[in-house]
Amino acid sequence: EGKEGCWDDIVFIDDVYVGETAYGLKKVTYDVFKNKYSKEDVRIIVATGEPMYRSRLFNTLERDGYKMETYISDKTFVGKDATIHEGTVVFPNVYIGNDAVIYNNCIVHANAKIEADCIIRSSTFVSLGAFVGASTVLGNRVFIGPNASLFDHISVGDDSMIGMGSVVLESVSESKVLVGNPAKC
């Protein structure tokens, strides 16, 4: 980290795709990254949205002692006593209601609305324009598709996926894929 609010270097860590740059920025493998950058000098944001891969990356980085950065857009409303944990990214124009809790390593994309008293567990992805009703609980590694709507007081089990534009009226068990209005397996 350089001057206040500035970074000396932004680097993509990528062990899958070949090439030296991504979006005009340096790209290195994780092994090269570990050898070049000191744990004390870096902050990391996991940028992939796929929940299972996101979870694995976060756990590896945490195990290796890296500090995870939390990013909350200044164009986001965060309600009273809401809590947002380490490594989470919250895009612009998001509403997070009072007493909501968003755990480690989540992404809440632009224009999403998370109502009061919601709990969003680790490595969950809430897509663009999604609505999560009051007192709803999203499990670990859940994917909520763009413009999906979830009713109040329901839960979505770990590793489940809600499709784009789906309307979820009832609780969802683990490892389910739901689509439609009303959403069905």
Side-chain angles (χ1 to χ4, degrees):
E1 192 172 353
K3 299 177 200 166
E4 186 176 327
C6 297
W7 297 98
D8 292 333
D9 209 359
I10 297 176
V11 177
F12 283 93
I13 302 170
D14 193 335
D15 288 335
V16 178
Y17 298 103
V18 180
E20 294 181 9
T21 63
Y23 306 104
L25 300 170
K26 284 189 274 187
K27 188 167 67 167
V28 298
T29 66
Y30 186 51
D31 286 337
V32 168
F33 178 82
K34 288 192 299 187
N35 291 324
K36 184 172 181 178
Y37 297 95
S38 165
K39 292 176 190 171
E40 294 77 31
D41 295 334
V42 300
R43 300 290 186 275
I44 296 177
I45 292 177
V46 177
T48 184
E50 196 285 317
M52 188 64 72
Y53 189 54
R54 190 175 175 73
S55 178
R56 276 188 248 144
L57 282 171
F58 184 87
N59 292 336
T60 296
L61 293 162
E62 193 173 57
R63 180 197 66 219
D64 289 350
Y66 286 98
K67 297 174 199 153
M68 306 306 288
E69 186 69 31
T70 300
Y71 172 78
I72 303 168
S73 169
D74 62 357
K75 291 180 171 67
T76 288
F77 174 83
V78 179
K80 182 178 181 240
D81 297 324
T83 306
I84 300 170
H85 288 263
E86 180 181 49
T88 289
V89 176
V90 182
F91 282 72
N93 304 317
V94 168
Y95 172 91
I96 299 172
N98 296 339
D99 299 305
V101 178
I102 301 174
Y103 282 87
N104 294 337
N105 195 38
C106 293
I107 291 179
V108 182
H109 217 293
N111 300 314
K113 187 171 185 182
I114 311 296
E115 288 288 353
D117 300 309
C118 286
I119 297 173
I120 299 176
R121 301 266 183 228
S122 296
S123 302
T124 288
F125 188 100
V126 178
S127 293
L128 183 72
F131 173 83
V132 180
S135 301
T136 292
V137 177
L138 303 180
N140 296 297
R141 299 169 305 279
V142 168
F143 180 88
I144 306 298
N147 298 313
S149 295
L150 285 73
F151 202 67
D152 296 349
H153 303 283
I154 64 171
S155 62
V156 177
D158 293 350
D159 303 308
S160 289
M161 179 182 286
I162 308 301
M164 176 175 39
S166 295
V167 177
V168 181
L169 303 173
E170 299 175 348
S171 290
V172 177
S173 58
E174 289 186 7
S175 303
K176 297 293 182 192
V177 176
L178 274 76
V179 295
N181 180 4
K184 295 181 181 171
C185 288

